[in-house]
């Protein structure tokens, strides 16, 4: 890297970290130096065009209010220099004309710089949006590719996640009991192998319904699962998101949203049903995807939501 490039990078770094007051003070010093130099050289050489530099820098670095201030200062400095070194004006009208002419000149410079700064900021915002969208899309694709149908070897991880759901209050506390866990492991294994399970119907009684387990596997670890059940028998087109858990370290990273999106997309030609607690994160996920409250469970602990 050349010496000039290093100096430019060092100056840019210092300007980025400099306070507005420090920049304003530096530009005032620059403005004063140009003005004094202009007065000192007399009528032979005019340095007033160089007053555009602090005006332009104020517009770029400090914004509109400071740019307006430097437009006024530069205009007054230019007219004063002309009056003292090149003779007095022929009346107040000519003086006003010179002030307006100078203000127009420096104002155009400031407006041009402000416009360029606005366009640059707009491009930076657009670039950030594109970069963020690309990052979210990569994350979404990674998660989407990590969702697969469960196999019997996943049952131990599913039981582990179910237990964590019970400990956090998402499931009934009975799932933390070792005897209950053994029964669940046998039921889940049979459901994965057979694709059917016995469930209590909302209308009363029991029936054998389709059952599917889907897991999200990241870095060779099952971090989430969901259980999908039929609602009222083998021939029904309805599907219920009966249970879903995301491992604690992966919550807030889009895993739960992706699992719900997969549920909605994979079964999009069916009527979808889900049960969740009032005020839960699951309720917010479902309502944002078009689910509406259908009823409450018999014990009033769960809201029953549906999407047609």
């Amino acid at each position: 890297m050349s010496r000039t490039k290093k100096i430019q990078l060092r100056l840019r770094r210092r300007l980025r970290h400099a306070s507005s007051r420090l920049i304003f003070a530096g530009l005032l010093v620059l403005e004063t130096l140009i003005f004094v130099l202009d007065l000192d050289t007399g009528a032979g050489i005019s340095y007033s065009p160089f007053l555009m530099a602090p005006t332009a820098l104020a517009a770029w670095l400090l914004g509109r209010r400071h740019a307006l201030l430097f437009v006024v200062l530069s205009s007054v400095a230019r007219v004063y220099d002309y009056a003292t070194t090149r003779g007095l004006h022929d009346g107040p009208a000519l003086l006003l004309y010179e002030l307006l002419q100078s203000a127009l000149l420096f104002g155009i410079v400031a407006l041009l710089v402000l416009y360029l700064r606005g366009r640059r900021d707009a491009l930076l915002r657009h670039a950030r949006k594109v970069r963020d969208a690309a990052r979210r899309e990569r994350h979404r694709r990674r998660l989407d590719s990590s969702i697969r149908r469960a196999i019997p070897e996943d049952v131990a991880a599913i039981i582990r996640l179910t237990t964590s759901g019970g400990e956090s209050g998402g499931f009934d506390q009975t799932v933390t009991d070792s005897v209950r866990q053994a029964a669940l492991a046998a039921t889940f294994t049979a459901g994965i192998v057979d694709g059917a399970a016995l469930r209590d119907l909302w209308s009363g009684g029991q029936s054998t319904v389709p059952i599917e387990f889907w897991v999200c596997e990241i870095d060779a670890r099952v971090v989430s699962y969901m259980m999908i059940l039929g609602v009222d028998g083998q021939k029904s087109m309805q599907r219920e998101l009966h249970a879903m858990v995301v491992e604690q370290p992966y919550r807030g990273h889009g895993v739960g949203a992706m699992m719900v999106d997969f549920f909605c997309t994979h079964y999009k030609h069916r009527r979808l049903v889900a049960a969740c607690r009032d005020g839960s994160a699951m309720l917010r996920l479902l309502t944002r995807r078009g689910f509406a409250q259908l009823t409450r469970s018999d014990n009033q602990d769960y809201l029953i939501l549906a999407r047609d």
Side-chain angles (χ1 to χ4, degrees), residues 74-232:
S74 298
S75 301
V76 172
R78 181 176 180 269
V79 173
Y80 182 83
D81 172 66
Y82 184 83
T84 55
T85 61
R86 294 164 181 81
L88 297 175
H89 290 85
D90 297 330
L94 187 57
L95 177 62
L96 179 61
Y97 170 76
E98 287 291 339
L99 278 171
L100 293 177
Q101 183 186 51
S102 299
L104 179 63
L105 172 65
F106 293 114
I108 289 174
V109 171
L111 287 174
L112 180 60
V113 172
L114 287 171
Y115 172 77
L116 293 175
R117 175 62 187 265
R119 296 305 303 165
R120 193 210 66 158
D121 291 343
L123 288 174
L124 288 176
R125 288 193 298 270
H126 180 69
R128 281 195 294 269
K129 288 181 180 179
V130 171
R131 185 170 60 250
D132 292 343
R135 188 184 299 113
R136 288 193 298 269
E137 180 62 18
R138 288 194 300 269
H139 184 62
R140 187 197 66 79
R141 289 184 179 181
R142 182 188 177 210
L143 290 179
D144 191 40
S145 64
S146 67
I147 298 175
R148 60 173 175 79
R149 193 181 291 271
I151 58 176
E153 287 75 11
D154 296 321
V155 170
I158 292 174
I159 294 298
R160 169 176 54 80
L161 291 169
T162 302
T163 303
S164 69
E167 292 172 347
S168 64
F171 293 155
D172 191 283
Q173 291 293 311
T174 58
V175 299
T176 61
D177 180 73
S178 59
V179 176
R180 175 64 172 162
Q181 289 176 10
L184 286 175
T187 302
F188 290 170
T189 302
I192 291 172
V193 173
D194 301 334
L198 189 67
R199 70 162 297 174
D200 296 326
L201 301 178
W202 295 340
S203 57
Q206 292 183 322
S207 178
T208 299
V209 298
I211 184 172
E212 295 178 16
F213 288 86
W214 296 88
V215 298
C216 177
E217 185 178 33
I218 298 177
D219 297 331
R221 179 179 176 85
V222 174
V223 301
S224 177
Y225 87 91
M226 59 182 172
M227 181 198 307
I228 312 299
L229 288 176
V231 174
D232 56 5

Side-chain angles (χ1 to χ4, degrees), residues 56-73:
L57 288 171
W60 183 268
L61 299 173
L62 300 175
R64 295 180 182 178
R65 292 174 57 188
H66 291 88
L68 178 60
L69 174 61
F70 274 88
V71 166
V72 173
L73 290 176

Side-chain angles (χ1 to χ4, degrees), residues 256-267:
M258 190 58 61
M259 295 290 278
V260 174
D261 285 339
F262 181 87
F263 169 64
C264 295
T265 302
H266 190 74
Y267 302 97

Side-chain angles (χ1 to χ4, degrees), residues 3 11 38 56 119 124 233:
R3 182 179 180 85
L11 287 174
D38 206 11
R119 296 305 303 165
L124 288 176

